[in-house]
Coordinates of all heavy atoms in Angstrom, one line a residue:
M1 N 167.9 151.9 87.8 CA 168.6 150.8 87.1 C 168.7 149.6 88.1 O 168.6 148.4 87.6 CB 170.0 151.3 86.8 CG 170.9 150.3 86.1 SD 170.5 150.0 84.4 CE 171.7 148.9 83.9
T2 N 169.0 149.8 89.3 CA 169.1 148.6 90.2 C 167.8 148.0 90.5 O 167.8 146.8 90.7 CB 169.8 149.0 91.6 OG1 169.0 150.1 92.2 CG2 171.2 149.5 91.4
T3 N 166.7 148.7 90.3 CA 165.4 148.1 90.4 C 165.1 147.1 89.3 O 164.6 146.0 89.6 CB 164.3 149.2 90.4 OG1 164.5 150.2 91.4 CG2 162.9 148.6 90.6
Y4 N 165.5 147.4 88.1 CA 165.4 146.5 87.0 C 166.3 145.3 87.2 O 165.9 144.2 86.9 CB 165.7 147.2 85.7 CG 164.8 148.3 85.3 CD1 165.2 149.6 85.2 CD2 163.4 148.1 85.2 CE1 164.4 150.6 84.8 CE2 162.6 149.1 84.8 CZ 163.0 150.4 84.7 OH 162.2 151.3 84.3
L5 N 167.5 145.5 87.7 CA 168.3 144.3 88.0 C 167.8 143.4 89.1 O 167.9 142.2 89.0 CB 169.7 144.8 88.4 CG 170.6 145.4 87.2 CD1 171.9 145.9 87.8 CD2 170.8 144.4 86.2
D6 N 167.2 144.1 90.1 CA 166.6 143.3 91.2 C 165.4 142.4 90.7 O 165.2 141.3 91.0 CB 166.1 144.2 92.3 CG 167.2 144.8 93.1 OD1 168.3 144.2 93.1 OD2 167.0 145.8 93.8
I7 N 164.6 143.0 89.8 CA 163.4 142.3 89.2 C 163.9 141.2 88.3 O 163.4 140.1 88.4 CB 162.5 143.3 88.4 CG1 161.8 144.2 89.4 CG2 161.5 142.5 87.6 CD1 161.1 145.4 88.8
A8 N 165.0 141.5 87.6 CA 165.6 140.4 86.7 C 166.1 139.3 87.5 O 166.0 138.1 87.2 CB 166.6 141.0 85.8
L9 N 166.8 139.6 88.7 CA 167.3 138.6 89.5 C 166.2 137.7 90.1 O 166.4 136.5 90.2 CB 168.1 139.2 90.7 CG 169.6 139.5 90.4 CD1 170.2 140.3 91.6 CD2 170.3 138.2 90.3
I10 N 165.1 138.3 90.5 CA 164.0 137.5 91.0 C 163.4 136.6 89.9 O 163.2 135.4 90.2 CB 162.9 138.4 91.5 CG1 163.4 139.2 92.8 CG2 161.6 137.6 91.8 CD1 162.5 140.3 93.2
I11 N 163.3 137.1 88.7 CA 162.7 136.2 87.6 C 163.7 135.1 87.3 O 163.3 133.9 87.1 CB 162.4 137.1 86.4 CG1 161.3 138.0 86.7 CG2 162.1 136.2 85.2 CD1 161.0 139.1 85.7
I12 N 165.0 135.4 87.2 CA 166.0 134.4 86.9 C 166.1 133.4 88.0 O 166.2 132.2 87.7 CB 167.3 135.0 86.6 CG1 167.3 135.9 85.3 CG2 168.5 134.0 86.5 CD1 167.0 135.1 84.0
S13 N 166.0 133.8 89.2 CA 166.1 132.8 90.3 C 164.9 131.9 90.3 O 165.1 130.7 90.6 CB 166.3 133.6 91.7 OG 165.1 134.3 92.0
L14 N 163.7 132.4 90.0 CA 162.6 131.5 90.0 C 162.7 130.5 88.8 O 162.4 129.3 89.0 CB 161.3 132.3 89.8 CG 160.9 133.1 91.1 CD1 159.7 134.0 90.7 CD2 160.6 132.2 92.2
A15 N 163.2 131.0 87.7 CA 163.3 130.1 86.5 C 164.4 129.1 86.8 O 164.3 127.9 86.4 CB 163.7 130.9 85.3
L16 N 165.5 129.5 87.5 CA 166.6 128.6 87.8 C 166.1 127.5 88.8 O 166.4 126.3 88.6 CB 167.8 129.3 88.4 CG 169.0 128.6 88.7 CD1 169.6 127.9 87.5 CD2 170.1 129.5 89.3
T17 N 165.3 127.9 89.8 CA 164.8 126.9 90.7 C 163.9 125.9 90.0 O 163.9 124.7 90.3 CB 164.0 127.7 91.8 OG1 164.9 128.6 92.5 CG2 163.5 126.7 92.8
A18 N 163.0 126.4 89.1 CA 162.1 125.5 88.4 C 162.9 124.6 87.5 O 162.5 123.4 87.4 CB 161.1 126.4 87.6
S19 N 163.9 125.0 86.8 CA 164.7 124.1 86.0 C 165.4 123.1 86.7 O 165.5 121.9 86.3 CB 165.6 124.9 85.1 OG 166.7 125.5 85.8
V20 N 165.9 123.4 87.9 CA 166.6 122.4 88.8 C 165.6 121.4 89.3 O 165.8 120.1 89.2 CB 167.3 123.1 89.9 CG1 167.8 122.0 91.0 CG2 168.5 123.9 89.4
I21 N 164.4 121.8 89.7 CA 163.4 120.9 90.1 C 162.9 120.0 89.0 O 162.6 118.8 89.2 CB 162.2 121.6 90.8 CG1 162.7 122.2 92.1 CG2 161.0 120.7 91.0 CD1 161.7 123.1 92.8
L22 N 162.7 120.5 87.8 CA 162.3 119.7 86.7 C 163.3 118.6 86.3 O 162.9 117.6 85.7 CB 162.0 120.6 85.5 CG 160.7 121.4 85.6 CD1 160.6 122.4 84.4 CD2 159.5 120.5 85.6
Q23 N 164.6 118.8 86.6 CA 165.6 117.8 86.2 C 165.4 116.6 87.1 O 165.9 115.5 86.8 CB 167.0 118.4 86.4 CG 167.3 119.3 85.3 CD 168.8 119.8 85.4 OE1 169.6 119.2 86.1 NE2 169.1 120.9 84.7
N24 N 164.8 116.7 88.3 CA 164.6 115.6 89.2 C 163.3 114.9 88.9 O 162.7 114.4 89.9 CB 164.7 116.1 90.6 CG 166.1 116.5 91.0 OD1 167.0 115.9 90.6 ND2 166.1 117.5 91.8
K25 N 162.9 114.7 87.7 CA 161.6 114.1 87.4 C 161.6 112.6 87.8 O 162.6 111.9 87.6 CB 161.3 114.3 85.9 CG 162.2 113.6 85.0 CD 161.8 113.7 83.6 CE 162.9 113.3 82.6 NZ 163.1 111.9 82.5
G26 N 160.5 112.2 88.3 CA 160.4 110.8 88.7 C 161.3 110.3 89.8 O 161.3 109.1 90.0
V27 N 161.9 111.1 90.5 CA 162.8 110.7 91.6 C 162.0 110.7 92.9 O 162.3 109.9 93.8 CB 164.0 111.6 91.7 CG1 164.9 111.2 92.8 CG2 164.8 111.6 90.4
G28 N 161.0 111.5 93.1 CA 160.3 111.6 94.3 C 160.9 112.6 95.3 O 161.9 113.2 95.0
L29 N 160.3 112.8 96.5 CA 160.8 113.8 97.4 C 162.2 113.4 98.0 O 163.0 114.3 98.3 CB 159.8 114.0 98.5 CG 158.5 114.7 98.1 CD1 157.6 114.7 99.3 CD2 158.8 116.0 97.6
G30 N 162.5 112.1 98.1 CA 163.8 111.7 98.6 C 164.9 112.1 97.7 O 166.0 112.4 98.1
G31 N 164.6 112.1 96.4 CA 165.6 112.5 95.4 C 166.0 114.0 95.4 O 167.1 114.4 95.1
L32 N 165.0 114.8 95.9 CA 165.3 116.2 95.9 C 166.3 116.5 97.0 O 167.0 117.5 97.0 CB 164.0 117.0 96.2 CG 163.0 117.1 95.0 CD1 161.7 117.8 95.4 CD2 163.6 117.7 93.8
T33 N 166.3 115.7 98.1 CA 167.3 115.9 99.2 C 168.6 115.1 99.0 O 169.4 115.2 99.8 CB 166.6 115.6 100.5 OG1 166.2 114.2 100.5 CG2 165.4 116.4 100.8
G34 N 168.6 114.3 98.0 CA 169.8 113.5 97.7 C 169.8 112.2 98.4 O 170.8 111.5 98.4
A35 N 168.6 111.7 98.9 CA 168.5 110.5 99.6 C 168.5 109.3 98.7 O 168.8 108.2 99.1 CB 167.3 110.5 100.5
D36 N 168.0 109.5 97.4 CA 167.9 108.3 96.5 C 169.2 108.1 95.8 O 169.6 108.8 94.9 CB 166.8 108.6 95.5 CG 166.4 107.5 94.7 OD1 166.8 106.3 95.0 OD2 165.7 107.7 93.6
S37 N 169.9 107.0 96.1 CA 171.1 106.7 95.4 C 171.0 105.5 94.5 O 172.0 105.0 94.0 CB 172.2 106.4 96.5 OG 171.8 105.3 97.3
T38 N 169.8 105.0 94.2 CA 169.7 103.9 93.3 C 169.6 104.2 91.9 O 169.5 103.4 91.0 CB 168.4 103.1 93.7 OG1 167.3 103.9 93.6 CG2 168.5 102.6 95.2
Q39 N 169.6 105.5 91.5 CA 169.4 105.9 90.2 C 170.7 105.6 89.4 O 171.8 105.9 89.8 CB 169.1 107.4 90.1 CG 168.9 107.9 88.7 CD 168.6 109.4 88.7 OE1 168.6 110.1 89.8 NE2 168.2 110.0 87.6
V40 N 170.5 105.1 88.2 CA 171.7 104.8 87.3 C 171.9 106.1 86.4 O 171.0 106.6 85.8 CB 171.4 103.6 86.4 CG1 172.5 103.4 85.5 CG2 171.1 102.4 87.3
F41 N 173.1 106.5 86.3 CA 173.4 107.7 85.5 C 173.5 107.2 84.1 O 174.1 106.2 83.7 CB 174.8 108.3 86.0 CG 174.7 108.9 87.3 CD1 175.3 108.2 88.4 CD2 174.0 110.1 87.6 CE1 175.2 108.7 89.7 CE2 173.9 110.6 88.9 CZ 174.5 109.9 89.9
S42 N 172.9 108.1 83.2 CA 173.0 107.8 81.8 C 173.2 109.1 81.0 O 173.2 110.1 81.6 CB 171.6 107.1 81.3 OG 170.6 108.0 81.5
A43 N 173.4 108.9 79.7 CA 173.7 110.1 78.9 C 172.4 110.9 78.8 O 171.3 110.4 78.7 CB 174.1 109.7 77.5
R44 N 172.6 112.2 78.7 CA 171.4 113.1 78.6 C 171.1 113.3 77.1 O 172.0 113.5 76.3 CB 171.8 114.5 79.1 CG 171.9 114.5 80.6 CD 172.2 116.0 81.1 NE 172.1 116.0 82.5 CZ 173.1 115.8 83.3 NH1 174.3 115.5 82.9 NH2 173.0 115.9 84.6
R45 N 169.8 113.1 76.8 CA 169.4 113.2 75.4 C 168.1 114.0 75.3 O 167.3 114.0 76.2 CB 169.1 111.8 74.8 CG 170.4 111.0 74.8 CD 170.1 109.6 74.2 NE 171.4 108.9 74.4 CZ 171.5 107.6 74.0 NH1 170.5 107.0 73.5 NH2 172.6 107.0 74.2
G46 N 167.9 114.6 74.2 CA 166.6 115.3 73.9 C 166.3 116.5 74.9 O 167.1 117.4 75.1
L47 N 165.1 116.4 75.4 CA 164.6 117.4 76.3 C 165.4 117.5 77.6 O 165.7 118.6 78.1 CB 163.1 117.1 76.7 CG 162.4 118.1 77.6 CD1 162.4 119.5 76.9 CD2 161.1 117.7 77.9
E48 N 165.9 116.4 78.1 CA 166.8 116.4 79.3 C 168.1 117.2 79.1 O 168.5 117.9 79.9 CB 167.1 115.0 79.7 CG 167.7 114.8 81.0 CD 167.9 113.3 81.4 OE1 166.8 112.7 81.7 OE2 169.0 112.9 81.4
K49 N 168.7 117.0 77.9 CA 169.9 117.8 77.6 C 169.6 119.2 77.4 O 170.4 120.1 77.9 CB 170.5 117.2 76.3 CG 171.8 117.8 75.9 CD 172.4 117.2 74.7 CE 173.7 117.8 74.4 NZ 174.4 117.2 73.2
T50 N 168.5 119.6 76.8 CA 168.1 121.0 76.6 C 167.8 121.6 78.0 O 168.3 122.7 78.2 CB 166.8 121.1 75.7 OG1 167.0 120.4 74.5 CG2 166.4 122.5 75.5
L51 N 167.1 120.9 78.8 CA 166.9 121.5 80.2 C 168.2 121.6 81.0 O 168.3 122.6 81.7 CB 165.9 120.5 80.9 CG 165.4 121.0 82.3 CD1 164.7 122.3 82.1 CD2 164.5 120.0 82.9
F52 N 169.1 120.7 80.8 CA 170.4 120.8 81.4 C 171.2 122.1 80.9 O 171.7 122.8 81.7 CB 171.2 119.6 81.1 CG 172.6 119.6 81.7 CD1 172.8 119.4 83.1 CD2 173.7 119.7 80.9 CE1 174.1 119.4 83.7 CE2 175.0 119.7 81.5 CZ 175.2 119.6 82.8
N53 N 171.1 122.3 79.6 CA 171.8 123.5 79.0 C 171.1 124.8 79.5 O 171.8 125.8 79.7 CB 171.8 123.4 77.5 CG 172.8 122.3 77.1 OD1 173.8 122.0 77.8 ND2 172.5 121.8 75.9
I54 N 169.8 124.8 79.6 CA 169.1 126.0 80.0 C 169.4 126.3 81.5 O 169.6 127.4 81.9 CB 167.5 125.7 79.9 CG1 167.2 125.8 78.4 CG2 166.7 126.8 80.7 CD1 165.7 125.4 78.1
T55 N 169.6 125.2 82.3 CA 170.0 125.4 83.7 C 171.3 126.1 83.8 O 171.6 127.0 84.6 CB 169.9 124.1 84.5 OG1 168.6 123.5 84.3 CG2 170.3 124.3 85.9
I56 N 172.3 125.6 83.0 CA 173.6 126.2 83.0 C 173.6 127.7 82.6 O 174.2 128.5 83.2 CB 174.6 125.4 82.1 CG1 174.8 124.0 82.7 CG2 175.9 126.1 81.9 CD1 175.6 123.1 81.8
A57 N 172.8 127.9 81.5 CA 172.7 129.3 81.0 C 172.0 130.2 82.1 O 172.5 131.4 82.3 CB 171.9 129.4 79.7
L58 N 171.0 129.7 82.7 CA 170.4 130.6 83.8 C 171.3 130.8 84.9 O 171.3 131.9 85.5 CB 169.1 129.9 84.2 CG 167.9 129.9 83.3 CD1 166.8 129.0 83.8 CD2 167.4 131.3 83.1
S59 N 172.1 129.8 85.3 CA 173.0 130.1 86.4 C 174.1 131.1 86.0 O 174.5 131.9 86.9 CB 173.6 128.7 86.9 OG 174.4 128.2 85.8
V60 N 174.6 131.1 84.8 CA 175.6 132.0 84.4 C 174.9 133.4 84.3 O 175.6 134.4 84.8 CB 176.1 131.7 83.0 CG1 176.9 132.8 82.4 CG2 177.0 130.4 83.1
I61 N 173.7 133.6 83.8 CA 173.0 134.8 83.8 C 172.8 135.3 85.3 O 173.0 136.5 85.6 CB 171.7 134.7 83.1 CG1 172.0 134.5 81.6 CG2 170.9 136.0 83.2 CD1 170.7 134.1 80.8
F62 N 172.4 134.4 86.2 CA 172.2 134.8 87.6 C 173.5 135.3 88.2 O 173.5 136.3 88.9 CB 171.7 133.6 88.3 CG 171.4 133.9 89.8 CD1 170.2 134.5 90.1 CD2 172.3 133.5 90.8 CE1 169.9 134.8 91.5 CE2 172.0 133.8 92.1 CZ 170.9 134.5 92.5
F63 N 174.6 134.7 87.9 CA 175.9 135.1 88.4 C 176.3 136.5 87.9 O 176.7 137.3 88.7 CB 177.0 134.1 88.1 CG 178.3 134.4 88.6 CD1 178.7 134.3 89.9 CD2 179.3 134.9 87.7 CE1 179.9 134.6 90.4 CE2 180.6 135.2 88.1 CZ 180.9 135.1 89.5
I64 N 176.1 136.7 86.6 CA 176.5 138.0 86.0 C 175.6 139.1 86.6 O 176.1 140.2 86.9 CB 176.4 137.9 84.5 CG1 177.5 137.0 83.9 CG2 176.4 139.3 83.8 CD1 177.3 136.7 82.5
L65 N 174.3 138.8 86.7 CA 173.4 139.9 87.2 C 173.7 140.2 88.7 O 173.6 141.3 89.1 CB 171.9 139.4 87.1 CG 171.3 139.5 85.8 CD1 169.9 138.9 85.8 CD2 171.2 140.9 85.3
T66 N 174.1 139.2 89.4 CA 174.5 139.4 90.8 C 175.7 140.3 90.9 O 175.7 141.2 91.7 CB 174.7 138.1 91.6 OG1 173.6 137.2 91.4 CG2 175.0 138.3 93.0
I67 N 176.7 140.0 90.1 CA 177.9 140.8 90.1 C 177.6 142.3 89.7 O 178.1 143.2 90.3 CB 179.0 140.2 89.2 CG1 179.4 138.8 89.7 CG2 180.2 141.1 89.1 CD1 180.0 138.8 91.1
L68 N 176.8 142.4 88.7 CA 176.4 143.8 88.2 C 175.6 144.5 89.3 O 175.9 145.7 89.5 CB 175.5 143.7 87.0 CG 176.2 143.6 85.6 CD1 175.1 143.3 84.5 CD2 176.9 144.8 85.4
T69 N 174.7 143.8 90.0 CA 174.0 144.5 91.1 C 174.9 145.0 92.2 O 174.7 146.1 92.7 CB 172.9 143.5 91.6 OG1 172.1 143.1 90.6 CG2 172.1 144.2 92.7
I70 N 175.9 144.1 92.6 CA 176.8 144.5 93.6 C 177.7 145.7 93.2 O 178.0 146.6 93.9 CB 177.7 143.3 94.0 CG1 176.8 142.3 94.7 CG2 178.8 143.7 94.9 CD1 177.5 140.9 95.0
A71 N 178.1 145.6 91.9 CA 179.0 146.7 91.4 C 178.3 148.0 91.3 O 178.9 149.1 91.4 CB 179.5 146.3 90.0
L72 N 177.0 148.0 91.0 CA 176.3 149.3 90.8 C 175.8 149.9 92.1 O 175.3 151.0 92.1 CB 175.1 149.1 89.9 CG 175.5 148.8 88.4 CD1 174.3 148.5 87.6 CD2 176.3 150.0 87.8
R73 N 175.9 149.2 93.2 CA 175.4 149.8 94.5 C 176.5 150.5 95.3 O 177.5 150.5 95.2 CB 174.8 148.7 95.4 CG 173.5 148.2 94.8 CD 172.7 147.3 95.7 NE 171.5 147.0 94.9 CZ 170.5 146.4 95.5 NH1 170.5 146.0 96.7 NH2 169.5 146.1 94.7

């Protein structure tokens, strides 16, 4: 059972990493480290909002799987 949880954690963590990186589109390498402060914040719409919601869902799933893995060991 813990093997399946470990595999699920790896898959979710890769998907979570990809979704966070995809949210920084068009910012460049400086934006990934937080160096770009010239960006104007605007409302999320369309695909950007969907990607934001997917990132939140993946982080909640990651948290739950981590707690389950710790509880079962």
Side-chain angles (χ1 to χ4, degrees):
M1 177 77 173
T2 57
T3 304
Y4 295 120
L5 288 175
D6 289 339
I7 292 171
L9 271 172
I10 292 170
I11 293 170
I12 294 295
S13 66
L14 291 173
L16 184 59
T17 303
S19 68
V20 168
I21 290 174
L22 284 175
Q23 285 185 16
N24 291 325
K25 63 178 170 75
V27 178
L29 290 177
L32 290 177
T33 60
D36 188 17
S37 61
T38 60
Q39 182 179 7
V40 176
F41 295 104
S42 61
R44 290 181 171 90
R45 297 180 187 180
L47 183 62
E48 190 175 288
K49 184 176 182 181
T50 304
L51 187 59
F52 179 72
N53 290 334
I54 288 171
T55 303
I56 291 174
L58 285 172
S59 63
V60 169
I61 293 169
F62 182 80
F63 179 75
I64 291 170
L65 284 176
T66 304
I67 298 299
L68 274 173
T69 303
I70 292 171
L72 293 176
R73 289 193 179 187

